[in-house]
Amino acid sequence: MRSLSEIETAVKRASRAVGFSWGNSEEVGKSIRQLELFGLQGIKNLNQYYKDKTTKKFEDLNLINEINETSYDAYCPIILGISFLDQIKSLESFKTIKFKKIAYPVIFLSFLSRASEISGKKIHVRLDQNEILLNLNVNICSSFLNQEIPEFANEIEIKFIDNEDNFTESEWNSLYKLAED
């Protein structure tokens, strides 16, 4: 089994070899490392994306709006993910962010998971008909149990979830009273 450091280093070097800057390559390395840590097929999807990148035109989205539609085959998940991380503080103010057509959305998900940690909020993602909850870069909960995430997503909807207690004030007071004894 490959170590996570070995995966990250190989991904960085491969990303640089296909034309990404060193800075972007480092971000891809971190993201694929994370996917492999969570048991998602990062290496497999990245390999296929790099193969498709030579024959297909993927759009780079640098400025993200509430609704984003591409005129090409699909958005590049790497540039989109890096843009999302770069703009995270302003994107939190949107109620919902929608994208049409993203290539290899599992790669984009890893950037969203990291964005969840930066923002300090959970992120709910609807990828076509499947739902995913990204929890502060600690775990990824999805309805993709035992199935692969598709190579292309037609619609992605992203919502930031405000942090709230999962218990009532009376439940807290009851527990706190016990803790005082």
Side-chain angles (χ1 to χ4, degrees):
M1 183 170 174
R2 305 278 186 241
S3 73
L4 294 175
S5 294
E6 187 177 10
I7 289 169
E8 185 174 346
T9 300
V11 168
K12 280 192 270 191
R13 293 176 70 196
S15 297
R16 181 69 182 122
V18 299
F20 286 103
S21 69
W22 275 117
N24 287 353
S25 296
E26 286 187 29
E27 295 299 329
V28 177
K30 290 176 196 174
S31 293
I32 299 302
R33 172 191 177 123
Q34 180 204 41
L35 288 174
E36 293 296 331
L37 174 69
F38 289 147
L40 299 171
Q41 297 178 333
I43 296 287
K44 177 183 177 180
N45 281 276
L46 187 66
N47 267 324
Q48 190 57 48
Y49 173 71
Y50 284 162
K51 287 177 189 171
D52 284 354
K53 190 175 180 304
T54 61
T55 59
K56 294 181 180 174
K57 179 67 177 156
F58 297 112
E59 184 173 350
D60 294 344
L61 181 62
N62 295 311
L63 182 59
I64 298 172
N65 296 303
E66 287 181 273
I67 298 175
N68 306 276
E69 295 189 37
T70 178
S71 54
Y72 293 99
D73 287 337
Y75 285 117
C76 167
I78 293 169
I79 299 302
L80 181 59
I82 291 169
S83 295
F84 202 93
L85 286 174
D86 288 346
Q87 298 169 52
I88 188 64
K89 290 301 177 191
S90 62
L91 295 176
E92 288 180 76
S93 64
F94 294 148
K95 183 175 179 178
T96 303
I97 303 168
K98 295 182 180 187
F99 298 96
K100 297 279 187 180
K101 299 194 283 185
I102 296 179
Y104 298 89
V106 70
I107 297 171
F108 180 54
L109 281 178
S110 62
F111 289 97
L112 291 178
S113 183
R114 291 174 53 214
S116 173
E117 179 180 28
I118 293 167
S119 71
K121 296 179 180 181
K122 295 176 186 172
I123 296 177
H124 179 263
V125 181
R126 189 180 51 76
L127 185 112
D128 292 330
Q129 301 308 315
N130 293 289
E131 294 187 44
I132 302 161
L133 181 63
L134 307 169
N135 190 3
L136 309 174
N137 206 21
V138 175
N139 66 14
I140 297 174
C141 239
S142 81
S143 59
F144 280 106
L145 195 61
N146 298 324
Q147 55 181 320
E148 290 186 24
I149 297 175
E151 292 179 1
F152 291 90
N154 291 317
E155 289 185 28
I156 291 187
E157 182 179 277
I158 298 167
K159 293 181 182 179
F160 291 91
I161 300 172
D162 289 327
N163 295 321
E164 296 177 357
D165 293 330
N166 292 325
F167 47 84
T168 65
E169 190 64 26
S170 66
E171 291 168 334
W172 174 254
N173 290 337
S174 176
L175 179 69
Y176 197 83
K177 186 174 186 229
L178 285 173
E180 291 178 325
D181 291 340

